[in-house]
């Protein structure tokens, strides 16, 4: 009995602090956000919470009639659909190159490609803002060598989002590359040896050994990349402020503006839950698609 | 031939990856207006420290630097303690509902941070912590991912080791402090790195809860500066260098742990 009491005491001592912190500063906020999303919590409720009233689903119905929300939704999907696969492809490609047997100095190359990952997003977004400068920017200078006329990347409604995509791929590909390298190293080398003996080409080996063996890694990478990209915020905040013509306004940026600029917290909480729902749905769909592919 | 092409491609990609940093550093040593030239220069024509001088005297970036440093160290230390204790409990304690609790915690990781931001802000405002260090430290006290990493690592420590220590009369705390922690050192270093860099680089949450320039962390101060000095690339680059250099130094000195950590389970930034 005594030892049982001691066990409970030890459990409370070791698990208690973290669980309490997670409960109070994570679980309660999630539930409160859900409740707030059904109220008209606004700047008047900020001073006195009792000013907020329940309005049922009105925030959600209003959201679906809000043209700016649809623009933010479309922009974010455009970003995820363009940057997600591109990031994964560049990561896989660089991992394959670095894993090639001929390459020496792997460590140096790996470190170089990884550098953008650790650096502060805000700082590099500022750097890229000047790289995209229409007159003095590095990108237009490089493109002048292949006779492409200067483009106002961030000021042009068509190019602003692709410019943010390019910067994001540059910033993130090193991260997934490292996971891919680990995945490639886990593939037993005798598979390749057997295939080589049977005369399979590099492409055949890639399609019938590398890709299927990497499937779990690819699913994991696709998921974390997608979840991260749906939360796009800092890049447009620094580089375009959502412009030009709202072409780079993202969901999180809209949520931030509604919640913390105009203090429409009920409305903002509804946006947060729509975002959560989209991410959840996206994860389920990707996992199902991957399973289907595996059995096909 | 194939080899030459491969190296050529790898080096070219490497140069392109690094080019933004080279330009950033070079522009930060230029006088006003010298970075706005065509073609862009990768070396300053005459280097000057004037931008750094402005940053640290007129703009008081030193206090932003210390805010970032103190907060990153504080969050790292506290969360490491909380997470390692809980990770140990999940790895080695037996109690009913343990697996269920752990699964619930793991699946809740899919909830994006933006969901909790609004109520958390209201809570901290009610507690009077807005625009204080506490507003950053409190939400970082414990995190599920950290608990998960430590639990995965600690679970492989043999029970017989803990059992024999217990027979020798060691208390639970002594076992945690003298056996678990030293054996978990690699994962603790990895986690410390993730947390330190994550806190240093974080933007959205500090932007929301820090409201005064003297409390800003470097990224928030930099974003704020960007609004006022859009036409000063040289000054902005100096600010970017000051923000980036510490994380690069920390990363380079402990890169082995960082890369291993990513390979172990992958992390979300």
């Amino acid at each position: 009995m005594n030892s049982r009491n001691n066990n409970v005491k030890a459990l409370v001592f070791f698990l208690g602090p973290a669980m309490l912190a997670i409960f109070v500063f994570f679980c309660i906020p999630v539930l409160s956000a859900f409740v707030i999303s059904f109220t008209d919590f606004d700047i008047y409720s900020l001073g006195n919470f009792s000013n907020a009233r329940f309005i049922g689903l009105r925030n959600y119905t209003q959201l679906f009639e809000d043209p700016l929300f649809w623009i933010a939704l479309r922009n974010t999907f455009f970003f995820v659909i363009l940057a997600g696969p591109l990031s994964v492809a560049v990561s896989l490609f660089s991992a394959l190159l670095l894993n090639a047997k001929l390459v020496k100095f792997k460590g140096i190359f790996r470190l170089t490609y990884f550098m953008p990952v650790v650096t502060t997003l805000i700082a590099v977004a500022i750097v890229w803002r000047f790289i995209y400068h229409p007159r003095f920017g590095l990108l237009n200078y490089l493109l002048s060598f292949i006779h492409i006329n200067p483009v106002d990347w961030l000021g042009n409604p068509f190019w602003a989002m692709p410019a943010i995509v390019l910067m994001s791929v540059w910033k993130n590909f090193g991260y997934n590359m490292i996971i891919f390298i680990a995945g490639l190293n886990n593939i037993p080398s005798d598979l390749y040896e057997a295939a080589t003996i049977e005369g399979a080409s590099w492409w055949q080996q890639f399609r019938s050994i590398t890709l299927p063996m990497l499937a779990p890694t690819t699913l994991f990478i696709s998921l974390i990349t997608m979840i991260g990209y749906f939360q796009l915020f800092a890049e447009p905040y620094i580089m375009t402020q959502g412009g030009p013509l709202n072409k780079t306004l993202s969901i999180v940026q809209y949520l931030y503006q509604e919640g913390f600029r105009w203090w429409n917290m009920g409305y903002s909480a509804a946006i947060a839950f729509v975002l959560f729902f989209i991410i959840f749905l996206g994860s389920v769909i990707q996992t199902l698609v991957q399973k289907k592919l595996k059995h096909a | 031939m194939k080899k030459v092409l491969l190296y050529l491609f790898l080096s070219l990609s490497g140069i392109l990856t690094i080019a933004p940093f080279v330009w950033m550093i070079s522009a930060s040593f230029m006088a006003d207006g010298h970075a706005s030239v065509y073609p862009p220069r990768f070396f300053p024509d005459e280097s000057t420290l004037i931008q750094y001088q402005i940053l640290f005297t007129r703009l008081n970036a030193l206090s932003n630097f210390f805010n970032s440093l103190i907060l990153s160290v504080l969050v790292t230390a506290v969360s490491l303690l909380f997470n390692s204790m809980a990770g140990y409990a999940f790895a080695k304690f037996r109690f009913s509902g343990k697996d269920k609790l752990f699964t619930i915690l793991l699946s809740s990781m899919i909830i994006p941070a933006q969901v909790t931001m609004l109520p958390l802000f209201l809570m901290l405002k009610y507690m009077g912590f807005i625009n204080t260090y506490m507003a950053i430290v409190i939400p970082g006290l414990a995190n599920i991912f950290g608990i998960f990493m430590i639990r995965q690592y600690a679970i492989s420590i043999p029970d017989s080791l803990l059992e024999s220590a217990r027979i020798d009369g060691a208390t639970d705390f002594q076992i945690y402090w003298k056996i678990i922690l030293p054996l978990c050192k690699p994962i603790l270093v990895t986690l410390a790195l993730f947390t330190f860099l994550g806190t240093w680089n974080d933007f959205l949450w500090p932007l929301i809860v820090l409201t005064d320039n003297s409390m800003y962390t470097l990224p928030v101060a930099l974003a704020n500066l960007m609004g006022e000095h859009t036409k000063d690339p040289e000054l902005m680059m100096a600010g970017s260098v000051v923000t980036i250099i510490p994380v690069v130094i920390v990363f380079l000195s402990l890169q082995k742990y960082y890369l291993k950590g990513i390979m172990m389970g992958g992390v979300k930034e």
Side-chain angles (χ1 to χ4, degrees):
Chain A
M1 193 64 207
N2 197 11
S3 111
R4 205 189 147 73
N5 271 340
N6 275 343
N7 279 344
V8 172
K9 252 190 225 162
L11 193 64
V12 171
F13 177 79
F14 283 103
L15 207 54
M19 289 306 111
L20 190 69
I22 288 172
F23 181 75
V24 177
F25 301 113
F26 179 73
C27 300
I28 291 183
V30 170
L31 296 175
S32 320
F34 193 63
V35 174
I36 290 174
S37 77
F38 296 106
T39 69
D40 63 352
F41 201 107
D42 57 11
I43 193 160
Y44 302 106
S45 320
L46 212 53
N48 183 355
F49 291 180
S50 62
N51 281 340
R53 287 167 307 147
F54 277 98
I55 52 167
L57 284 169
R58 214 196 302 157
N59 283 327
Y60 291 94
T61 52
Q62 200 186 331
L63 208 50
F64 286 100
E65 285 160 14
D66 180 350
L68 214 50
F69 174 70
W70 283 105
I71 289 172
L73 207 61
R74 205 186 52 201
N75 292 339
T76 310
F77 268 98
F78 180 73
F79 176 77
V80 173
I81 288 168
L82 203 61
L86 201 61
S87 278
V88 177
V90 173
S91 308
L92 178 59
F93 185 64
S94 47
L96 286 170
L97 283 184
L98 283 188
N99 232 36
K101 286 219 172 58
L102 326 154
V103 178
K104 284 184 190 132
F105 314 112
K106 281 183 182 146
I108 305 257
F109 285 121
R110 209 168 59 175
L111 214 57
T112 312
Y113 298 155
F114 195 77
M115 224 30 149
V117 175
V118 284
T119 50
T120 314
L121 180 54
I122 293 304
V124 296
I126 288 173
V127 175
W128 275 77
R129 198 180 144 141
F130 289 107
I131 288 177
Y132 285 137
H133 193 282
R135 277 179 66 205
F136 311 120
L138 211 52
L139 184 66
N140 279 338
Y141 174 64
L142 285 178
L143 291 177
S144 73
F145 288 106
I146 45 172
H147 304 290
I148 291 178
N149 286 329
V151 176
D152 183 5
W153 298 101
L154 298 174
N156 179 317
F158 180 78
W159 284 113
M161 195 53 116
I164 290 178
V165 167
L166 178 67
M167 186 238 152
S168 303
V169 172
W170 169 84
K171 173 87 171 67
N172 298 318
F173 82 94
Y175 185 85
N176 294 335
M177 176 189 79
I178 298 292
I179 306 179
F180 269 131
I181 289 177
L184 286 172
N185 287 331
N186 279 339
I187 302 176
S189 56
D190 43 340
L191 285 180
Y192 292 106
E193 280 155 25
T196 314
I197 291 168
E198 289 184 10
S201 68
W202 180 87
W203 176 244
Q204 280 168 331
Q205 292 186 22
F206 177 72
R207 279 204 49 193
S208 55
I209 302 174
T210 314
L211 273 188
M213 293 295 280
L214 272 186
T217 313
T218 313
L219 173 65
F220 175 73
I221 286 176
S222 313
L223 280 180
I224 57 166
T225 305
M226 181 201 70
I227 292 174
Y229 279 177
F230 266 121
Q231 300 174 34
L232 174 73
F233 172 75
E235 296 91 331
Y237 183 90
I238 292 293
M239 293 163 77
T240 56
Q241 292 84 44
L245 304 173
N246 287 325
K247 280 291 185 194
T248 58
L249 179 75
S250 72
I251 299 180
V252 175
Q253 209 181 345
Y254 192 47
L255 180 159
Y256 170 79
Q257 279 175 14
E258 284 297 321
F260 296 101
R261 277 275 171 277
W262 317 121
W263 304 107
N264 294 325
M265 294 195 128
Y267 199 55
S268 182
I271 301 176
F273 270 94
V274 173
L275 175 71
F276 174 31
F277 182 70
I278 291 170
I279 289 178
F280 179 75
L281 215 62
S283 310
V284 172
I285 290 172
Q286 262 188 22
T287 314
L288 288 179
V289 166
Q290 192 95 8
K291 273 206 184 117
K292 259 268 166 54
L293 286 178
K294 211 173 167 186
H295 292 296
Chain B
M1 183 58 198
K2 210 173 151 192
K3 206 168 169 176
V4 174
L5 273 179
L6 188 60
Y7 276 111
L8 204 66
F9 183 79
L10 284 174
S11 312
L12 205 65
S13 330
I15 291 170
L16 281 178
T17 311
I18 290 300
F21 296 123
V22 178
W23 183 77
M24 165 188 82
I25 293 170
S26 128
S28 78
F29 289 111
M30 291 179 188
D32 284 351
H34 285 228
S36 297
V37 288
Y38 191 86
R41 291 198 194 109
F42 276 102
F43 294 98
D45 43 350
E46 45 190 310
S47 41
T48 159
L49 286 174
I50 182 81
Q51 308 301 344
Y52 291 92
Q53 232 166 42
I54 295 174
L55 215 55
F56 283 108
T57 53
R58 198 155 58 81
L59 296 171
N60 214 1
L62 202 61
S63 68
N64 302 126
F65 181 86
F66 277 113
N67 288 338
S68 278
L69 189 67
I70 293 168
L71 281 171
S72 304
V73 171
L74 214 59
V75 171
T76 305
V78 178
S79 73
L80 220 50
L81 182 72
F82 276 38
N83 291 339
S84 65
M85 282 170 41
Y88 164 50
F90 273 118
K92 291 297 173 195
F93 283 24
R94 260 167 283 160
F95 56 95
S96 57
K98 180 169 87 166
D99 294 338
K100 213 177 248 171
L101 180 60
F102 196 64
T103 315
I104 293 173
L105 283 180
L106 281 189
S107 36
S108 71
M109 275 169 71
I110 196 178
I111 301 175
Q114 288 83 8
V115 169
T116 60
M117 277 179 355
L118 296 153
L120 210 48
F121 175 85
L122 294 176
M123 274 165 93
L124 293 168
K125 185 175 148 54
Y126 190 71
M127 295 158 126
F129 285 149
I130 293 300
N131 203 31
T132 69
Y133 283 169
M134 290 303 275
I136 306 288
V137 174
I138 283 183
L141 284 177
N143 74 74
I144 298 164
F145 177 73
I147 297 173
F148 170 74
M149 293 255 283
I150 290 173
R151 182 233 180 216
Q152 295 306 86
Y153 200 88
I155 215 161
S156 63
I157 296 172
D159 284 330
S160 55
L161 202 64
L162 312 184
E163 225 30 71
S164 60
R166 198 159 283 141
I167 290 166
D168 288 341
T171 63
D172 280 308
F173 187 77
Q174 281 168 330
I175 291 175
Y176 160 76
W177 196 254
K178 294 209 169 125
I179 299 176
I180 300 287
L181 283 191
L183 285 176
C184 283
K185 205 184 126 200
I187 195 69
L188 291 175
V189 176
T190 302
L191 204 55
L193 251 177
F194 284 155
T195 315
F196 183 89
L197 297 188
T199 313
W200 184 283
N201 291 339
D202 197 14
F203 177 62
L204 180 51
W205 184 244
L207 176 73
I208 289 170
V209 291
L210 303 177
T211 53
D212 186 63
N213 192 37
S214 66
M215 287 303 293
Y216 284 167
T217 55
L218 277 172
V220 182
L222 211 52
N224 193 39
L225 208 61
M226 186 76 217
E228 297 159 20
H229 294 262
T230 322
K231 300 261 184 286
D232 291 339
E234 302 84 6
L235 180 67
M236 292 312 302
M237 289 311 115
S240 299
V241 170
V242 171
T243 309
I244 286 177
I245 289 291
V247 286
V248 169
I249 292 174
V250 171
F251 165 70
L252 284 180
S253 50
L254 293 165
Q255 43 146 319
K256 194 182 71 184
Y257 291 96
Y258 195 97
L259 297 181
K260 258 201 193 124
I262 296 179
M263 292 184 180
M264 259 185 56
V267 257
K268 249 176 18 158
E269 263 187 292

